[in-house]
Amino acid sequence: MFEILILSFIQGVTEFLPVSSSSHLILVSEYLRFNEQSLSIDVSLHIGSFLAVLLYFYKDILNFFKNRFLFLKIFISSLPVLVIGFFLVKFELIDKIRNLETIAWMTLIFGLLLYLSDRCKISKQLNENFTYKSAILIGIFQILSLIPGVSRSGIAITAARLLNFKRVDSAKISFLISIPILGAVSFFGLKNLVLLKDINLIKLNLFSIFLSFVFSLITIRYFLKYINKFNLNLFVYYRVLLGLILIYLTL
């Protein structure tokens, strides 16, 4: 249960912060020698995050008719990473880039890119300036998030900031794009959960979903409040420091 608590906390917090959830789950599981990071647990953690973002933005989702063009753009923006991700998994290529050296350099490089993007002027808003062109460009950037250490939320925020969207609006774009992405992961993983026969494993997965949901919901709420008042430097410093430490460990 302790391992599930730690993994749920890491998933819930890092999924929506620009620091890469996949790399943190890999690093913590490897160095603490966790036994619970099975495929079903990993899926359950993502289901929790998926439910959290659905709940937080439920008003926008329920008001689909008013926001139908926004959600179409969000769906278009999520397509590149879903398609490329599918083929990487299908041909078992994803495991070839899941290593410490890749995580180290991507954490550092995209931390610096996050810093540069956050220096861009602030002029655009989600409701007024999120065009199909913006959606496609951000979607293309999202492909990079398949590399451990890049961060799905981080690259979405970086791309949105490079396009001059406000910090809060950049984060909202990142959160909304996560809905179809996390939804796809949840959908394809539910089959394995339904077929589970071990009652203890079922309990662990349900516990993972619940904890990840709670931590994700808290993160979304307070991250939006944070970047409404502050810049992204805190996350840049963290990424640079972590990247340098990991690079040192790979030497």
Side-chain angles (χ1 to χ4, degrees):
M1 286 295 184
F2 175 73
E3 293 183 12
I4 295 298
L5 175 63
I6 297 299
L7 291 174
S8 299
F9 174 78
I10 293 171
Q11 167 64 25
V13 172
T14 60
E15 176 64 38
F16 299 108
L17 298 184
V19 295
S20 178
S21 61
S22 61
S23 63
H24 281 74
L25 288 170
I26 293 170
L27 292 171
V28 171
S29 296
E30 180 176 342
Y31 283 97
L32 295 183
R33 301 188 182 281
F34 280 0
N35 298 315
E36 299 294 352
Q37 203 199 7
S38 63
L39 177 61
S40 63
I41 294 296
D42 190 53
V43 169
S44 295
L45 295 174
H46 283 81
I47 291 175
S49 295
F50 175 58
L51 294 176
V53 75
L54 283 181
L55 178 61
Y56 194 87
F57 291 101
Y58 79 94
K59 291 182 179 179
D60 299 284
I61 296 171
L62 290 177
N63 198 1
F64 179 79
F65 183 78
K66 178 181 178 181
N67 297 314
R68 63 189 183 281
F69 294 115
L70 170 62
F71 283 109
L72 177 59
K73 295 170 190 173
I74 290 297
F75 178 72
I76 291 173
S77 193
S78 68
L79 280 179
V81 69
L82 288 174
V83 173
I84 300 299
F86 172 78
F87 284 107
L88 286 178
V89 172
K90 182 177 178 62
F91 294 105
E92 299 181 350
L93 298 174
I94 197 72
D95 289 332
K96 297 183 183 298
I97 55 176
R98 291 170 68 91
N99 56 72
L100 182 59
E101 187 173 3
T102 299
I103 291 173
W105 282 104
M106 294 302 99
T107 297
L108 176 61
I109 292 171
F110 284 91
L112 295 175
L113 184 59
L114 179 65
Y115 174 80
L116 293 176
S117 70
D118 202 37
R119 306 275 78 75
C120 293
K121 64 180 181 179
I122 299 173
S123 60
K124 296 182 179 179
Q125 298 181 359
L126 172 62
N127 294 332
E128 298 177 5
N129 308 109
F130 189 57
T131 62
Y132 287 102
K133 180 180 178 180
S134 300
I136 293 171
L137 289 174
I138 294 174
I140 293 172
F141 268 85
Q142 281 269 294
I143 295 174
L144 295 170
S145 68
L146 294 168
I147 306 173
V150 173
S151 172
R152 183 204 58 76
S153 60
I155 197 63
I157 292 173
T158 296
R161 292 291 291 120
L162 287 173
L163 293 174
N164 299 322
F165 282 93
K166 294 181 178 180
R167 291 190 187 97
V168 172
D169 291 273
S170 297
K172 287 181 178 179
I173 290 171
S174 170
F175 293 148
L176 291 173
I177 292 176
S178 75
I179 293 176
I181 295 173
L182 291 174
V185 173
S186 301
F187 176 79
F188 286 108
L190 279 175
K191 179 181 178 181
N192 293 326
L193 296 182
V194 172
L195 295 177
L196 287 177
K197 297 181 180 179
D198 187 332
I199 187 64
N200 290 323
L201 194 54
I202 292 175
K203 289 180 180 179
L204 281 177
N205 279 276
L206 292 176
F207 192 48
S208 300
I209 293 173
F210 172 72
L211 287 178
S212 178
F213 166 78
V214 172
F215 290 129
S216 296
L217 194 60
I218 293 172
T219 301
I220 295 171
R221 179 179 180 183
Y222 287 100
F223 179 54
L224 286 173
K225 287 187 176 182
Y226 176 86
I227 61 174
N228 192 40
K229 298 180 180 179
F230 305 101
N231 57 33
L232 296 168
N233 285 353
L234 176 65
F235 305 101
V236 172
Y237 299 150
Y238 173 76
R239 290 187 63 117
V240 170
L241 178 61
L242 178 61
L244 291 174
I245 292 173
L246 294 177
I247 290 172
Y248 174 77
L249 292 175
T250 61
L251 296 178

